[in-house]
Every structure is written in structure tokens, then in C-alpha cells.
């Protein structure tokens, strides 16, 4: 399902794939502790938000995102073949997928939080994610053994 964001006024109302509305900030500092990104660095043609968890979707709904996008697409599973160099991805993807995204020139933000052992396997709410200190952190990854990574494709 496709969602279009408003780029003019700094905020846009769009819908996630559950059909729930949310507010998207047009531009925020990259949340990796670095200096704020310039508008040229922070705008992409497509932002893929990858999660199948309702709590994560609701948590993301409440955040100011680190990039501005012409199109926002919420998906429960990402087809890596659809991601292009001018795209960004938010999710909790395996490292070898992140390396493939980065090799294509895409940007990747990981939803980071530490899950206590007692909460593993439990569907977390957006409030639980906030309590656990959830954050979006940009990562770049590269396979050290590219030949081995290519064999897995």
C-alpha cells in the first residue's frame, strides 16, 4: 500500500499499512548522534518502512523520521530487488540484507532497542518500545567477503 507525504509545510499526514493515520516530520537530524543532515542528504524518492508488528508501527507513527520522502511505503516484508539507490529503509533487517541495501546505494535506519529476556517473543506495544529506549539509528554495512555474500543470493 502506498502513502504520499506532504513535502511543503514540513509535516504530512499519511497512513501506515494498517490504515492508521500518522504525522511525518519533513526533516530531522540523523539520529545517529551526528550533525543534522542537510536537506539534500535527507530527501529520498522512496522510504520503505518494514515491520509486521503493530507496536512498532505505532511507535514509528509517533516519531519524527530522519529522512523526507516523496513516497512512503509500509510493508511487512521487503523485496530487496525493489530498493534503488535513491531509497531509504527503516526496519530491523538482518545484517546481510543491510549490506545489500548499502551496496545498492540505499540508506538504512535500524529500529534499535534492548529487549529484556522476559519480553522476548512477546508483542511489544509502542509504549513498551518507548520505555525500552527505542531509537532509529542509521547504519552502513559492507560484506568483508563479497564473494561469499554473492553466493547467498
Amino acid at each position: 500500500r502506498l502513502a504520499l507525504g506532504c513535502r511543503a509545510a514540513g509535516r504530512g499526514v499519511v497512513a501506515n499499512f494498517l490504515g492508521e493515520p500518522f504525522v511525518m516530520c519533513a526533516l530531522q537530524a540523523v539520529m545517529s548522534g551526528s550533525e543534522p543532515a542537510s536537506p539534500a542528504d535527507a530527501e529520498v524518492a522512496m522510504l520503505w518502512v518494514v515491520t509486521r508488528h503493530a507496536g512498532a508501527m505505532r511507535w514509528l507513527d509517533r516519531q519524527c523520521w530522519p529522512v523526507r520522502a516523496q513516497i512512503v511505503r509500509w510493508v511487512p516484508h521487503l523485496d530487496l530487488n525493489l530498493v534503488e539507490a535513491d531509497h531509504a529503509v527503516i526496519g530491523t533487517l538482518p545484517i546481510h540484507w543491510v549490506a545489500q541495501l548499502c551496496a545498492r546505494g540505499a540508506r538504512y535506519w535500524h529500529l534499535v532497542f534492548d529487549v529484556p529476556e522476559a519480553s522476548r517473543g512477546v508483542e511489544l506495544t509502542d509504549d513498551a518500545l518507548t520505555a525500552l529506549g527505542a531509537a532509529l539509528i542509521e547504519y552502513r554495512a559492507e560484506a568483508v567477503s563479497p564473494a561469499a555474500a554473492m553466493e547467498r543470493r
Side-chain angles (χ1 to χ4, degrees):
R1 295 181 184 140
L2 202 58
L4 301 175
C6 171
R7 298 171 54 204
R11 287 174 132 353
V13 177
V14 296
N16 64 29
F17 71 84
L18 290 178
E20 299 170 336
F22 70 97
V23 175
M24 178 177 67
C25 289
L27 180 63
Q28 281 290 310
V30 174
M31 298 181 75
S32 61
S34 63
E35 293 298 312
S38 71
D41 288 342
E43 185 166 343
V44 295
M46 173 86 74
L47 174 63
W48 297 89
V49 183
V50 185
T51 184
R52 57 183 176 79
H53 300 285
M57 280 184 260
R58 289 187 182 98
W59 183 88
L60 287 162
D61 286 351
R62 298 186 335 207
Q63 306 309 305
C64 288
W65 293 0
V67 294
R68 189 171 33 179
Q70 295 173 11
I71 299 172
V72 178
R73 190 153 188 207
W74 293 76
V75 294
H77 176 79
L78 183 64
D79 180 346
L80 294 176
N81 294 316
L82 298 177
V83 179
E84 299 177 9
D86 60 347
H87 292 187
V89 177
I90 291 175
T92 56
L93 301 180
I95 190 69
H96 62 289
W97 284 26
V98 176
Q100 290 177 46
L101 292 170
C102 292
R104 292 170 186 245
R107 296 177 71 180
Y108 176 74
W109 278 266
H110 197 77
L111 175 55
V112 176
F113 56 95
D114 294 323
V115 180
E117 186 175 351
S119 296
R120 294 207 174 140
V122 175
E123 187 71 28
L124 300 173
T125 66
D126 53 330
D127 290 333
L129 290 171
T130 298
L132 291 170
L136 291 175
I137 308 231
E138 184 173 17
Y139 283 87
R140 293 181 194 102
E142 174 180 285
V144 177
S145 306
M150 292 299 289
E151 290 174 13
R152 293 196 43 86
R153 291 185 188 180

